[in-house]
Amino acid sequence: MYCRHCGAQMNPDATVCPSCGVASGSGSNYCANCGAECQPGTVFCSNCGCQFAPEQAAQQTYYQDPAQGAYQNPQANPQQTYQAPAQGYQPPVYPPVGTPLKSKMAAGLLGIFLGAFGVHNFYLGYTTKAVIQLCLTLLSCGILSFVSGIWGFIEGVMLLTGSINVDGNGMPLQQ
């Protein structure tokens, strides 16, 4: 077992971390299962996949600063600055339990064959794009259907090649 505040290894029966003095289970900087550093507020460890308890992921931690001799809330400390995650880092997105993922193949084929009507965007949950494609085709009485048809064909190919790999809710597409 590891301290969620400092990442030090500790006895599973311990109520307080011997390294930093924080109560066992408090903190959100490290995984209690493997000791890897985690982004505060995350639900899963990016190293071992361990799920944090919701109250642990959201709780505020208090610690004793040796220099000040008083307990303080790290979020309330004005000297501390937020460090943005590394450039290009995207936290993992997990669908709710029991939610089926959308098919990349089905969306791609819908885009290629019915892209002029925006069917693939309706399927993926991009309703604004889908309504624009549908209106472009229907309100022009089919005259501009080639424009939305080419648009849908290109998006269908992008779906099949993996350039578009999430649905309208940010969930990953199923192979």
Side-chain angles (χ1 to χ4, degrees):
M1 182 170 135
Y2 295 86
C3 175
R4 295 263 300 137
H5 180 72
C6 71
Q9 192 167 10
M10 53 190 282
N11 186 344
D13 299 330
T15 57
V16 176
C17 174
S19 297
C20 65
V22 172
S24 177
S26 295
S28 61
N29 298 330
Y30 295 88
C31 175
N33 187 48
C34 68
E37 189 171 0
C38 300
Q39 293 292 329
T42 56
V43 180
F44 293 93
C45 174
S46 59
N47 186 43
C48 69
C50 176
Q51 183 175 5
F52 305 136
E55 63 275 359
Q56 285 180 339
Q59 79 181 23
Q60 294 181 343
T61 58
Y62 293 85
Y63 66 96
Q64 185 169 7
D65 185 4
Q68 295 179 351
Y71 285 96
Q72 65 183 19
N73 180 347
Q75 284 81 16
N77 189 349
Q79 285 98 14
Q80 290 183 342
T81 58
Y82 172 75
Q83 289 183 333
Q87 185 177 13
Y89 171 77
Q90 292 291 327
V93 177
Y94 299 98
V97 176
T99 303
L101 298 176
K102 305 286 183 175
S103 169
K104 184 185 296 188
M105 180 68 73
L109 292 175
L110 286 171
I112 290 172
F113 294 111
L114 297 172
F117 301 105
V119 174
H120 63 293
N121 283 321
F122 279 118
Y123 173 71
L124 292 175
Y126 297 110
T127 53
T128 304
K129 282 197 308 184
V131 168
I132 292 171
Q133 287 177 316
L134 184 63
C135 289
L136 189 65
T137 299
L138 295 180
L139 294 179
S140 70
C141 297
I143 296 171
L144 296 177
S145 64
F146 71 92
V147 173
S148 57
I150 292 171
W151 180 6
F153 180 81
I154 291 171
E155 284 185 339
V157 171
M158 289 174 69
L159 282 160
L160 292 175
T161 60
S163 297
I164 300 173
N165 54 10
V166 294
D167 66 6
N169 297 322
M171 296 297 148
L173 295 177
Q174 182 181 12
Q175 296 291 333

